[in-house]
Amino acid sequence: MSVEFSLLELASVRINETPCDSFSHALSYAQAADSLGFKRFWLAEHHNMQGIASSATAVLIGHIAGNTQQIRVGSGGIMLPNHSPLVVAEQFGTLASLYGDRIDLGLGRAPGTDPVTSRALKRDEHAAENFAQEVQVIQQLLQPSQPQQRLRAVPGEGTEVPIWILGSSLYSAGLAAQLGLPYSFAGHFAPAHMRAALKRYRSEFRPSARLEKPYFILGLPVVWGETEAKAHHYATTSVQRILALFRGEPMWMRPPIDPSQLDWSASEKYNVEAFLDLAQVGDELQILDGLQQLRDELAVDEFMFTIDVYDKDLRIKTLSTLAQIKTHLR
């Protein structure tokens, strides 16, 4: 079977722009992906991060789904420790009621923020320990209700919105396998444990009513350029953002610079390169070769790309290049 291509969006805010500008571009970006046949467009949940505007994830999902035609739109993911399972079921039940079978619910166990912000979100600081149970509560709330059922998601019940387990660890892989759910690994920021997590997911997978065999999405960054040198130039935008993350600084999206001008220590360089270990940076043939190697080694069912480049037109043009690459991928 051919591999699917999808996108993960953070609603990144360029320096000296506003979240509204970010949302406008995210929609144009999603519409381009829709027209090119990408499978999914997922939005990530983050809080209290200057430069990332995807905090109200369900709201943005509705905005994107309401202005696209075919592409599946969902969460990559909803950070469940921040939310009541009932509220999540109601929100995604509402989205499914509005947009039909185009909504995905990806669930993650991390808070998507810092401890201070987690407390401000007013959820139990031990909520992550209940992740497995809360995933199953949401599953039940989205299924057809039973006659004597006292707790119902209205809307939500009977919509059976597809649930995905998102993660960057062996724990998430084991849970997805145990519940017989599809699994999406965050290789765009935590590549180190990817192979071990995939091995566990496939070896421990139990078929379910939702899924007969394992289904694996690999998230990874892509930066395309007409030449390798241009691609590495464009990639400095992402490098600057990750450096800002490590330094506790605002994560505005900044214009690219000459790679030789990057101001980082040896340890910072090591950590950034480890963070981006799965990144595909290069021209069309180089990206095709890199994706083919991952496909051959890992039998990936779906790639989900983050495209962190400053130029909005280049970002959309990258989608056309990826669509061409997909036609040659085995």
Side-chain angles (χ1 to χ4, degrees):
M1 293 180 64
S2 62
V3 66
E4 297 285 358
F5 279 11
S6 295
L7 298 171
L8 177 66
E9 172 71 344
L10 278 67
S12 299
V13 184
R14 287 155 183 78
I15 193 163
N16 298 323
E17 291 193 350
T18 68
C20 185
D21 297 321
S22 174
F23 300 151
S24 177
H25 172 64
L27 178 56
S28 299
Y29 182 57
Q31 289 171 333
D34 192 16
S35 68
L36 289 165
F38 281 70
K39 181 73 172 180
R40 303 173 213 280
F41 190 91
W42 281 2
L43 292 123
E45 177 186 346
H46 292 284
H47 299 278
N48 196 28
M49 291 186 178
Q50 290 178 289
I52 296 179
S54 55
S55 54
T57 315
V59 177
L60 286 177
I61 290 169
H63 177 58
I64 299 296
N67 290 280
T68 51
Q69 300 299 318
Q70 302 294 328
I71 197 167
R72 300 190 66 85
V73 187
S75 58
I78 291 294
M79 299 295 101
L80 195 48
N82 302 333
H83 306 278
S84 145
L86 177 59
V87 170
V88 173
E90 290 172 339
Q91 288 179 345
F92 279 77
T94 299
L95 289 166
S97 298
L98 287 167
Y99 306 114
D101 185 26
R102 292 178 53 215
I103 302 299
D104 291 329
L105 174 53
L107 296 171
R109 182 169 172 255
T113 188
D114 58 88
V116 172
T117 309
S118 292
R119 288 193 291 272
L121 290 165
K122 298 183 178 178
R123 280 284 272 153
D124 180 357
E125 64 181 13
H126 301 294
E129 299 172 10
N130 302 320
F131 181 68
Q133 293 85 351
E134 293 192 341
V135 169
Q136 293 174 83
V137 169
I138 294 173
Q139 282 185 297
Q140 293 167 1
L141 289 169
L142 293 174
Q143 292 173 358
S145 60
Q146 301 302 310
Q148 304 303 317
Q149 185 173 323
R150 297 186 62 188
L151 182 64
R152 299 182 178 214
V154 183
E157 59 184 8
T159 57
E160 300 186 282
V161 176
I163 292 176
W164 296 71
I165 299 297
L166 279 58
S168 57
S169 68
L170 296 182
Y171 171 86
S172 58
L175 179 62
Q178 175 188 340
L179 298 179
L181 292 174
Y183 180 49
S184 179
F185 188 88
H188 60 290
F189 71 80
H193 303 295
M194 181 268 292
R195 287 171 175 82
L198 176 56
K199 182 178 180 180
R200 180 173 186 183
Y201 173 59
R202 287 186 172 146
S203 65
E204 298 181 9
F205 183 83
R206 303 176 185 173
S208 66
R210 167 76 173 86
L211 196 64
E212 292 183 357
K213 60 182 182 178
Y215 191 96
F216 177 67
I217 291 180
L218 176 60
L220 74 170
V222 164
V223 180
W224 167 79
E226 292 177 344
T227 66
E228 181 179 6
K230 285 184 177 181
H232 282 281
H233 173 68
Y234 301 144
T236 59
T237 290
S238 182
V239 169
Q240 291 176 82
R241 295 191 80 198
I242 297 165
L243 275 172
L245 173 65
F246 289 164
R247 293 169 177 174
E249 299 171 353
M251 295 175 63
W252 306 115
M253 183 175 276
R254 297 178 181 275
I257 59 176
D258 189 289
S260 65
Q261 295 178 334
L262 288 166
D263 182 18
W264 51 3
S265 67
S267 62
E268 286 177 327
K269 183 175 186 292
Y270 176 85
N271 289 331
V272 170
E273 289 177 348
F275 191 103
L276 294 172
D277 186 57
L278 286 175
Q280 305 299 308
V281 180
D283 62 24
E284 183 173 340
L285 289 177
Q286 289 171 315
I287 292 174
L288 170 59
D289 183 60
L291 294 179
Q292 188 65 65
Q293 289 184 42
L294 288 170
R295 169 81 164 156
D296 291 343
E297 177 194 354
L298 306 170
V300 175
D301 297 294
E302 191 168 329
F303 288 111
M304 182 166 281
F305 304 113
T306 54
I307 304 176
D308 240 1
V309 295
Y310 185 81
D311 186 285
K312 297 174 184 178
D313 292 335
L314 174 64
R315 199 168 183 237
I316 290 177
K317 191 173 181 181
T318 299
L319 297 182
S320 298
T321 302
L322 286 171
Q324 287 296 317
I325 288 172
K326 185 175 183 290
T327 64
H328 298 291
L329 205 59
R330 300 185 300 276

